Amino acid sequence: MLTPIDTLREQVTARLAAFERRQVPPAGGVRRAGVTVCVLEDRDGAPYVVVIRRAARGRNPGQWALPGGRADDGERPEDAALRELAEETGITGVQVAGLLDDFVTDSGFVITPVVAFGGRQRPVPDPREVASVHAVPLERFLAPGVPRWRGELLQMPLGPSIVIHAPTGAILWQFAEVALRGREQRVFDVAQPHWTRT
């Protein structure tokens, strides 16, 4: 008998398989990165997404993000996403459900978002890269007022003190629409705030 999380994983996997993702073709000089939209279960079996706050030092200090980072030479962005997930949060052995659209950032990266399920693991932040790890229940992505717009800027208000902008906010919006709601949503033209361009 399927559990609710099994049913969710099957639904998300089917929706992502049917989604015709937009992929930026490989090209010289293009910097590739991967991030993971990782769905875990709390002790009661309720699903949540892992969101991190970057450490005060390093790239994008203090910003909300998904676990992820730059692909090494010859590394596929999908593999980079899972490697960085393990390095930054200790989460391993996930089941990949599929991919969302590549997202081109104003800072010159092409980000490949991987959607994965990791069971009841407990994330443990690597303090060199991650200030804190946060669990965002899936229902927050579907709540009224998510997303919201401030002028041309997308905001994903996912908790009392969690407001996420593009590029991470755009990826999470597409995850909510495509993977959770089964709708087609493109986000390539979502504006990015100036402070994300580092």
Side-chain angles (χ1 to χ4, degrees):
M1 183 169 167
L2 292 178
T3 66
I5 195 74
D6 291 332
T7 301
L8 173 67
R9 186 173 58 246
E10 285 187 359
Q11 288 174 340
V12 167
T13 301
R15 288 167 180 163
L16 291 174
F19 178 64
E20 292 187 25
R21 71 179 291 264
R22 293 185 177 174
Q23 183 176 355
V24 176
V30 173
R31 298 185 297 172
R32 296 278 173 170
V35 297
T36 305
V37 182
C38 184
V39 180
L40 297 181
E41 300 166 66
D42 67 16
R43 61 183 57 143
D44 298 320
Y48 67 90
V49 168
V50 175
V51 174
I52 63 173
R53 191 139 209 181
R54 292 267 169 224
R57 299 177 309 280
R59 190 168 186 82
N60 302 318
Q63 288 186 24
W64 293 107
L66 291 163
R70 181 188 301 220
D72 293 335
D73 289 342
E75 184 180 33
R76 295 182 327 140
E78 303 94 294
D79 295 329
L82 301 181
R83 174 181 53 76
E84 290 282 350
L85 176 68
E87 290 175 5
E88 294 179 350
T89 67
I91 298 169
T92 60
V94 299
Q95 284 186 279
V96 173
L99 306 176
L100 295 166
D101 284 341
D102 284 346
F103 190 91
V104 181
T105 72
D106 290 346
S107 59
F109 280 92
V110 175
I111 300 174
T112 299
V114 177
V115 179
F117 286 76
R120 294 196 180 188
Q121 299 183 58
R122 293 290 158 261
V124 178
D126 177 346
R128 294 169 298 179
E129 299 187 72
V130 179
S132 55
V133 176
H134 302 263
V136 179
L138 285 198
E139 60 262 22
R140 279 297 306 155
F141 292 93
L142 307 176
V146 179
R148 69 185 182 204
W149 297 89
R150 294 296 180 259
E152 66 173 3
L153 291 182
L154 165 82
Q155 293 184 337
M156 292 291 284
L158 297 176
S161 60
I162 303 175
V163 177
I164 305 179
H165 297 81
T168 301
I171 291 167
L172 289 173
W173 181 31
Q174 189 174 55
F175 164 74
E177 293 298 312
V178 174
L180 300 183
R181 287 192 165 107
R183 301 174 180 167
E184 182 164 319
Q185 179 66 55
R186 302 298 177 179
V187 295
F188 63 89
D189 57 350
V190 172
Q192 299 162 56
H194 65 86
W195 66 82
T196 66
R197 299 171 188 160
T198 58

